[in-house]
Amino acid sequence: MFICAGGDDRSTSVFNTLAELSADYFKGVDLVPTDVIAGLILLSRQQERKRQQLRIYIADEKETKGYSMVPTDDVVDAPDVICECLPTPRDWMTLDNMSHYLKFAIGSYGWPFYVTLVNPILGACSLITQCSCFSCRDDQGSVYMDNCCMCNTAAFKKTTGLHHDDIVYACFKNEIYELPFYVVIDRESNSVVVAIRGTLSLQDVITDLVIERGDLDITGDLCACAHNGILQSANYIKQILEEKNILKKAFSLAEGADLVITGHSLGAGAAALLAILLKPSYPKLKCFAFSPPGELVSPTVSKYAEDIVCSVVLGDDIISRQGMLMMDDLKINILKAIHQTRLPKYKIFASGCWRMCCGRAGTLEENIKYAHVDEDPKNENGGSTYNVNRCSLEMSLTECMAHSQHIKSTYQPLVLPGQILHVEQSHISGDEEYTAAWKLPETFTEIIVSPDMLAHHFPDALLDAIDELREKKIPVKQITTTTNGNKIDTRIMID
């Protein structure tokens, strides 16, 4: 799979790490792909039932307590719950700024995203006027290692509305731990913007998968650590910025400008870590991290970054909830879901297909239930095939739950960085309009299995949601965290 990624010493070391990670994660799992798909369908329905019960509870609370605005799905009200207020969002953490700088993050993906997401109808034609055809030099002024027609740079300019003179530095070198990025001057907001590209190549995928914990010597706390692959990428960009004096050059061209770092997905993770690394030198910098990876920094680092990093997550985005610990919980929940049901897989698949075709209104509740089934085929010895499979599942589940303790002791918990805005559709109001609320990192420690878990990660979907919030002037709700034992919930503060 990774044969095209190179065979140098660093690549070999990374592949060894990934091999050990894979062996560690799949230890004790005795499932075929169809089992996993069936488990995901079952788990999705379990999660949806819980959320539906919560919506009913919220609706009842709304009638009895007379809320002045419709709350989101995350309200809890229990007398034995302890409430702790979230930090106040900074004045620059606005929807207008998010929409503005998300375009820089989208533009950093270059021409592939532009012709497929930004302008799918006339994208290729509109780039022709910006391209420099047959410019076969590796060094094209302030742009390095773009293709011969500079298509990526052209797409970035079309997406952001910048001129070529506004580009201080752009490098498209892409290896393991080495991400393409731009440094530009944004005259509209009077800021120097560093935009880092997200996952778009096999090398980027490998960087994503190196989930070892790397040390961050910034807070004096021994527990300060981060996702090692993304941390290596942030250090690479920081080294280039310092060696070439790129930021000093940019500020000499834009005196009094702010420093803004942004990116999406892998680029968001690198942007957040780069902002944390640059904070001692630029204490007033700002970072917009759009859909960052779920396991990124330790909780102490996340709190350290509250005044400089604003993370934005859309709906059920799986990437912002993904990490070794979350994936381990998902594995166990899939095994439990399969173990609890006695329905054959073809009935589960039929229910899943029905839901895909009919959406959330599909009658999956009637099709998937925990009951006995008529089909109970016999094996060659006359024994029940179902009982044999059930015994195998019990052994696999027991082994995985025991191994889960080893994983939890090996991998320190990591969370999303800084202050987090969660944009999602409200299923209470009836029209599924978007709502937005500030939430704690602990809210994003469970993978939500839904039809939108992948679609919500695309940057164009996030941009559409933010722009809809801006147009309708829907207020961003302030959330407080509530703790009851080990469970973390949220509460809306209503004026």
Side-chain angles (χ1 to χ4, degrees):
M1 179 178 177
F2 298 120
I3 193 171
C4 298
D8 55 11
D9 292 339
R10 182 170 65 176
S11 299
T12 301
S13 175
V14 170
F15 295 152
N16 289 335
T17 300
L18 295 182
E20 294 173 359
L21 171 66
S22 300
D24 202 29
Y25 179 73
F26 290 104
K27 182 178 177 61
V29 177
D30 185 21
L31 300 177
V32 296
T34 54
D35 293 334
V36 176
I37 296 173
L40 287 172
I41 296 173
L42 292 167
L43 181 59
S44 174
R45 186 51 189 160
Q46 288 180 11
Q47 293 177 340
E48 187 170 332
R49 281 200 298 268
K50 291 179 181 179
R51 296 168 82 175
Q52 182 62 28
Q53 291 172 357
L54 184 58
R55 291 169 194 149
I56 295 173
Y57 170 78
I58 294 170
D60 293 340
E61 289 293 303
K62 179 177 178 289
E63 291 181 1
T64 57
K65 296 195 174 183
Y67 287 124
S68 59
M69 66 172 63
V70 178
T72 64
D73 300 345
D74 299 299
V75 176
V76 292
D77 189 10
D80 58 339
V81 172
I82 302 173
C83 299
E84 299 175 0
C85 292
L86 283 171
T88 303
R90 304 301 181 262
D91 55 0
W92 52 269
M93 297 180 181
T94 64
L95 293 173
D96 288 338
N97 283 340
M98 293 174 195
S99 176
H100 179 74
Y101 291 110
L102 179 53
K103 295 174 184 176
F104 288 82
I106 295 176
S108 66
Y109 281 101
W111 69 266
F113 262 48
Y114 185 82
V115 300
T116 56
L117 297 180
V118 180
N119 191 355
I121 299 177
L122 300 175
C125 297
S126 63
L127 285 182
I128 294 178
T129 57
Q130 295 286 343
C131 292
S132 304
C133 292
F134 306 111
S135 177
C136 299
R137 297 175 299 156
D138 289 336
D139 181 354
Q140 296 144 351
S142 57
V143 180
Y144 298 85
M145 301 183 72
D146 198 352
N147 57 34
C148 62
C149 296
M150 297 183 70
C151 296
N152 293 304
T153 305
F156 182 82
K157 291 187 290 185
K158 292 288 289 185
T159 305
T160 60
L162 298 182
H163 301 288
H164 192 83
D165 293 340
D166 296 326
I167 300 177
V168 179
Y169 183 86
C171 180
F172 295 91
K173 184 180 181 182
N174 190 199
E175 300 292 342
I176 300 175
Y177 306 146
E178 298 178 3
L179 304 178
F181 68 98
Y182 292 84
V183 179
V184 299
I185 298 175
D186 179 25
R187 307 290 179 182
E188 180 179 344
S189 62
N190 189 31
S191 58
V192 174
V193 181
V194 180
I196 306 174
R197 198 192 76 183
T199 303
L200 199 61
S201 69
L202 186 58
Q203 288 81 2
D204 298 334
V205 173
I206 296 172
T207 300
D208 281 317
L209 293 176
V210 182
I211 62 171
E212 295 175 308
R213 278 41 174 164
D215 293 331
L216 262 173
D217 186 17
I218 53 171
T219 63
D221 193 323
L222 296 177
C223 296
C225 59
H227 182 295
N228 191 46
I230 304 178
L231 178 59
Q232 297 273 12
S233 302
N235 280 320
Y236 158 77
I237 297 175
K238 179 176 181 289
Q239 181 180 357
I240 292 181
L241 294 177
E242 292 175 347
E243 289 181 351
K244 298 182 179 293
N245 291 320
I246 296 172
L247 292 180
K248 291 183 179 180
K249 178 181 178 181
F251 285 117
S252 67
L253 299 174
E255 295 184 4
D258 296 325
L259 175 60
V260 179
I261 307 175
T262 187
H264 172 265
S265 188
L266 171 61
L273 291 179
L274 179 62
I276 293 170
L277 294 173
L278 293 178
K279 182 180 179 180
S281 302
Y282 302 91
K284 295 184 179 181
L285 66 82
K286 307 168 186 176
C287 174
F288 288 97
F290 300 102
S291 306
E295 282 190 351
L296 186 63
V297 296
S298 57
T300 54
V301 178
S302 179
K303 189 171 184 62
Y304 172 81
E306 284 178 350
D307 60 335
I308 61 169
V309 177
C310 176
S311 297
V312 187
V313 178
L314 176 63
D316 298 334
D317 186 354
I318 185 175
I319 302 300
S320 294
R321 293 174 169 83
Q322 193 175 47
M324 187 61 176
L325 300 180
M326 292 84 135
M327 290 296 294
D328 184 62
D329 289 338
L330 178 66
K331 174 183 66 176
I332 293 177
N333 289 333
I334 289 175
L335 285 169
K336 287 181 178 179
I338 298 173
H339 182 262
Q340 291 170 354
T341 188
R342 295 190 63 181
L343 283 176
K345 282 188 285 188
Y346 76 87
K347 288 190 176 182
I348 299 174
F349 291 161
S351 300
C353 292
W354 175 262
R355 187 187 183 200
M356 289 180 62
C357 296
C358 301
R360 296 180 181 275
T363 56
L364 194 60
E365 180 73 34
E366 292 77 14
N367 292 331
I368 295 182
K369 55 187 178 182
Y370 304 119
H372 294 279
V373 295
D374 297 333
E375 297 87 346
D376 195 5
K378 306 297 182 180
N379 58 25
E380 295 179 354
N381 299 323
S384 170
T385 302
Y386 170 77
N387 289 333
V388 173
N389 292 337
R390 187 176 182 83
C391 181
S392 176
L393 277 172
E394 289 178 353
M395 294 175 61
S396 182
L397 181 58
T398 301
E399 185 175 355
C400 286
M401 292 182 68
H403 185 62
S404 176
Q405 299 302 318
H406 165 72
I407 291 180
K408 287 179 170 59
S409 64
T410 303
Y411 296 93
Q412 180 181 344
L414 301 180
V415 296
L416 293 173
Q419 302 201 46
I420 307 166
L421 182 70
H422 189 202
V423 181
E424 58 183 337
Q425 289 178 314
S426 173
H427 302 289
I428 302 175
S429 58
D431 57 359
E432 296 192 354
E433 66 181 10
Y434 284 102
T435 62
W438 297 98
K439 297 185 179 180
L440 281 180
E442 291 80 1
T443 309
F444 304 91
T445 54
E446 180 187 14
I447 294 177
I448 304 299
V449 181
S450 76
D452 300 322
M453 59 194 295
L454 294 176
H456 283 171
H457 185 63
F458 282 89
D460 60 319
L462 179 57
L463 180 60
D464 291 341
I466 292 175
D467 287 342
E468 181 176 322
L469 289 171
R470 294 171 61 221
E471 292 173 3
K472 294 184 177 181
K473 300 185 184 303
I474 297 176
V476 176
K477 303 180 181 71
Q478 177 69 34
I479 301 293
T480 65
T481 182
T482 58
T483 59
N484 188 0
N486 293 326
K487 184 178 179 181
I488 303 295
D489 291 304
T490 50
R491 177 196 299 265
I492 296 181
M493 303 300 293
I494 305 297
D495 293 334

